[in-house]
Amino acid sequence: MARLLSRIWPGVAMAALAFCAITQPSFASATDHAGFLDETESLRTKDHPQYVQRLAQLHQEASSLTTSEQWHLRYLDAWEAMFEGEYTKSESQFNEIIDHSGDPVLAAKSSALLLNNLAINRRYEEAFALANRLTTSLPVATDSLARSMLVSNLSQMFNMAGQTDLAIKYADMAENSIPAGETDCHPALIKAAALYNGKRLTSSSRDLQRAVDTCVAARESVGTNSALLLMGSLFLDEGQPSKTMALLDRIGPSLRINHYSPHDQSAQLQRAQAYAKLGNDEEARKAALAVLAMNGPDDISEWLKEAYDVLYRVEKRQGNTAAALSYYEHFVAQDKGYLNDISVRSLAYEVSQQHQMVQNLATESLSKQNRILRLQQSLDANTVSTGRLYIALLLVSLASIALLLFRVKRSQLRFKRMSTLDGLTGILNHQHFMSEAERILRVQEKKLGSACLISIDLDHFKQVNDTYGHAMGDIVLQHTVAVLQDELRPIHIFARLGGEEFGILLVGCTSSQAMATAQRLCVAIEGSPVEDDGRVVSLSVSVGVASTDRCGFELSRLCREADAALYRAKRAGRNRVVADTDTENDTLSAA
């Protein structure tokens, strides 16, 4: 199972929403609105049904609330809208509180939750830009509750960006700034999540057990469920599906009471994976289909990817080839989408860092210019030699600024190049390949040329990951790219399209030439097994070929025909080349 935070993060993020309430004394009378508001806030994840009832009661008495109490009620309404998944509505409410409430504590808490809102909706550039602003405001955040919420949510944002050490640092800051009357449930939970995402956590880790114990003691059911689902995921990673099943049975009643969608999906997915590992294919299929039913037809998520993987394996074991292939196609699509989302996350973080650097340099430049002007005023009354010294200092300052700006520009260009390449293999990524292929096909169409698209997929690649681990899987992908590059010419456009799938655009090439090239690549891969640390992994590929001679110059059609040919090659037994003109019985074997 992929050890990635996306299956856990939404639950952890929503657990964060609970961390802005201070436990209050029991409500004394209906006129103690301030105390009643505070106590209601503390019930959000401890007793959510009662929280909803109290909101209704507060709205009935809204006319008797003071202005500050009405803003507090709007904040609680915004929290509930976010909990129910109404992100557009809650975003508007949070922004109104930040801009107009005049309450710095409510504004800080709303900013922290707005950060979660943007991240959940995959608006990563806005989220990281807000994170930079919140980081800058930390030194002036004197309210302990607001500060604790800010550093907690910053920890989660850095965790999403894969910055594990920064995430742990901010989680520790959150623990050190817990307000009076609060527990360390949430800081312990976000630290465990950061350690998990950094592959530094096991099911027996002290940090994970501490998160479970503190959330149970605090009666934070949402936080407790997040921590235990994290533990269930680790049990699966460690090959202990029976423990995962026992844990899910234990927290089942709490999940049903809270009915929080990310937790429901995580629990169903873990059941599907556990049943699959235990050999109960029927129950695994039911649980995986339940995950699919919780999502829309166009959704992309880690839950869906893993659910399709379970269904593919179950149908494959049952001998249902057509169903298995259909689920595998869905799995590949989800895998591509998920990898793209991770890339967008990382790129958004890097872009926000670059923008912050430029702003810092601009501020530094203005400061230097002010110092230079003051120096000029004092030097006007001095001798010619002093004037020469001023000129020299001015030149040095300008040279320093120019050097700093040059470094920033060079760094920006480097990140731009990185955005076009696949981080693991160093060849073009999916997005840049598509745009480059579109451009080349338009040129070929204008000059009546020709081109062919080759789609390549490593056979049984998941078995390599399952047998030897993901580190060996990465070595296999890098080895495959090296072998293919040796067989290709510089004019060919070569890219990793996602997972173990690659694409090659051959320019000025006929269909027969493309078939010959594809056959040569197939043979080269089969004749180049991977050897690492005494282990030998034999490789083969399935290849689909599509030509502009038959499909025209529209890239989308070339891709469809090449993919269709690729899947015919897989159905025909793999390790072979199939062209867009081939039928099910007319395939070329690499043997």
Side-chain angles (χ1 to χ4, degrees), residues 94-333:
F94 285 137
N95 280 320
E96 185 180 8
I97 294 167
I98 294 167
D99 295 335
H100 303 296
S101 71
D103 187 331
V105 175
L106 276 183
K109 289 156 65 173
S110 296
S111 297
L113 297 182
L114 180 59
L115 188 62
N116 271 323
N117 197 325
L118 294 171
I120 291 172
N121 282 282
R122 294 185 171 91
R123 291 161 61 185
Y124 299 125
E125 287 193 24
E126 296 175 64
F128 284 118
L130 176 59
N132 283 335
R133 295 197 297 272
L134 294 180
T135 302
T136 305
S137 70
L138 277 178
V140 296
T142 56
D143 182 84
S144 60
L145 176 57
R147 180 179 177 83
S148 185
M149 284 192 65
L150 288 173
V151 294
S152 296
N153 285 280
L154 286 170
S155 173
Q156 292 171 176
M157 283 304 301
F158 288 125
N159 201 8
M160 281 189 66
Q163 303 297 313
T164 301
D165 291 331
L166 272 177
I168 293 173
K169 172 188 172 183
Y170 278 95
D172 289 335
M173 289 173 63
E175 184 175 3
N176 293 332
S177 60
I178 297 176
E182 278 296 327
T183 71
D184 53 356
C185 166
H186 181 59
L189 180 58
I190 60 174
K191 183 173 183 178
L195 291 168
Y196 176 87
N197 201 35
K199 301 181 181 180
R200 307 178 191 176
L201 199 69
T202 66
S203 61
S204 59
S205 293
R206 178 183 299 178
D207 289 296
L208 178 57
Q209 190 58 51
R210 178 170 169 271
V212 173
D213 293 341
T214 54
C215 290
V216 169
R219 297 183 180 180
E220 288 286 355
S221 59
V222 174
T224 301
N225 291 342
S226 294
L228 291 175
L229 286 170
L230 183 58
M231 183 178 289
S233 182
L234 287 165
F235 282 146
L236 288 172
D237 289 344
E238 296 165 3
Q240 303 181 73
S242 296
K243 290 188 176 181
T244 299
M245 292 298 298
L247 187 148
L248 292 173
D249 290 339
R250 169 185 163 191
I251 66 175
S254 176
L255 293 174
R256 288 189 290 273
I257 290 173
N258 287 285
H259 194 53
Y260 178 47
S261 177
H263 284 177
D264 293 340
Q265 293 196 59
S266 294
Q268 285 290 0
L269 177 61
Q270 289 185 23
R271 283 191 183 277
Q273 293 171 321
Y275 277 128
K277 288 179 179 290
L278 293 169
N280 191 337
D281 287 348
E282 186 58 33
E283 292 299 326
R285 182 188 290 111
K286 289 180 182 178
L289 289 173
V291 175
L292 268 56
M294 295 179 188
N295 290 270
D298 299 324
D299 289 349
I300 297 291
S301 73
E302 176 76 353
W303 294 310
L304 284 173
K305 185 187 83 164
E306 297 291 353
Y308 278 122
D309 183 44
V310 170
L311 290 168
Y312 159 69
R313 292 176 177 277
V314 166
E315 299 299 344
K316 183 179 178 181
R317 279 200 298 266
Q318 297 292 327
N320 301 326
T321 305
L325 183 58
S326 175
Y327 285 133
Y328 183 77
E329 291 174 359
H330 284 294
F331 166 80
V332 170

Side-chain angles (χ1 to χ4, degrees), residues 371-391:
R371 290 198 298 270
I372 291 170
L373 288 174
R374 288 194 297 269
L375 179 61
Q376 181 179 1
Q377 292 172 354
S378 65
L379 289 176
D380 285 343
N382 291 338
T383 62
V384 174
S385 59
T386 306
R388 291 174 180 172
L389 176 61
Y390 154 70
I391 293 173

Side-chain angles (χ1 to χ4, degrees), residues 55-73:
L55 274 186
Q57 181 179 345
L58 283 164
H59 279 287
Q60 291 175 356
E61 303 178 8
S63 60
S64 62
L65 300 179
T66 66
T67 301
S68 62
E69 290 168 348
Q70 288 177 351
W71 280 113
H72 196 169
L73 178 57

